[in-house]
């Protein structure tokens, strides 16, 4: 049996939480508008884009100085940011409170010993994967 890497476990957990949040927001929005259903962000003639999150995160992590003592924490934050933006939309990145929300989420995760260990393991995995991906691209 193969082990599931911590980054995928955390991504799955984050996606579940974001899906729940999105569903609550859409339901609340539809109720406010008096609609029978929440509008879909995808039109009938389009398909949702599925960016390669791994490639995006690898590039961004690769830009972090390898000697930076906070590289692990920064790598995990980039991962967290990328997952949240991919789930809730890139427009959220322009919201001035988005970095504050990311700080809060990361601090909450780091305050829980089990989540902090999983985040650390995920950061280690992400850095190794980013380094391998970027060295293979050269």
């Amino acid at each position: 049996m193969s082990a599931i890497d911590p980054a995928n476990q955390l991504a799955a957990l984050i996606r579940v939480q974001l899906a729940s949040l999105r569903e609550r927001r859409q339901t609340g929005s539809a109720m406010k508008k008096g609609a029978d259903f929440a509008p879909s962000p995808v039109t009938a003639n389009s398909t949702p884009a599925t960016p390669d999150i791994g490639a995006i995160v690898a590039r961004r992590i690769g830009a972090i100085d390898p000697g930076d003592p906070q590289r692990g924490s920064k790598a995990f934050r980039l991962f967290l940011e990328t997952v949240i933006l991919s789930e809730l939309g890139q427009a959220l990145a322009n919201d001035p409170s988005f970095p504050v929300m990311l700080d809060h989420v990361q601090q909450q995760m780091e305050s829980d010993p089990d989540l902090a260990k999983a985040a650390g393991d995920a950061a280690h995995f992400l850095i190794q994967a980013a380094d391998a991906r970027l060295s293979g691209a050269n």
Side-chain angles (χ1 to χ4, degrees):
M1 183 185 303
S2 64
I4 298 174
D5 66 77
N8 284 335
Q9 289 175 327
L10 280 170
L13 175 63
I14 292 166
R15 283 189 177 105
V16 167
Q17 295 300 319
L18 290 174
S20 174
L21 174 64
R22 186 183 314 122
E23 184 177 307
R24 285 192 306 252
R25 291 175 81 196
Q26 288 177 342
T27 301
S29 174
M31 292 174 101
K32 286 179 189 174
K33 293 179 182 178
D36 292 333
F37 60 91
S40 172
V42 178
T43 63
N45 296 330
S46 68
T47 58
T50 54
D52 181 0
I53 293 176
I56 294 168
V57 173
R59 271 193 310 275
R60 294 183 73 198
I61 290 172
I64 301 171
D65 179 3
D68 187 336
Q70 295 296 313
R71 190 174 190 214
S73 179
K74 289 177 180 180
F76 184 73
R77 182 184 177 93
L78 289 173
F79 167 76
L80 185 62
E81 177 184 325
T82 304
V83 171
I84 290 172
L85 290 175
S86 73
E87 293 295 320
L88 296 180
Q90 295 295 319
L92 185 60
N94 298 325
D95 187 323
S97 62
F98 183 62
V100 175
M101 186 216 41
L102 279 176
D103 288 342
H104 180 73
V105 170
Q106 190 169 13
Q107 288 169 358
Q108 287 292 336
M109 293 179 83
E110 290 171 351
S111 71
D112 180 288
D114 293 332
L115 283 177
K117 180 177 180 344
D121 291 346
H124 180 72
F125 174 82
L126 290 164
I127 289 169
Q128 285 183 328
D131 289 347
R133 182 177 277 208
L134 293 173
S135 68
N138 295 331

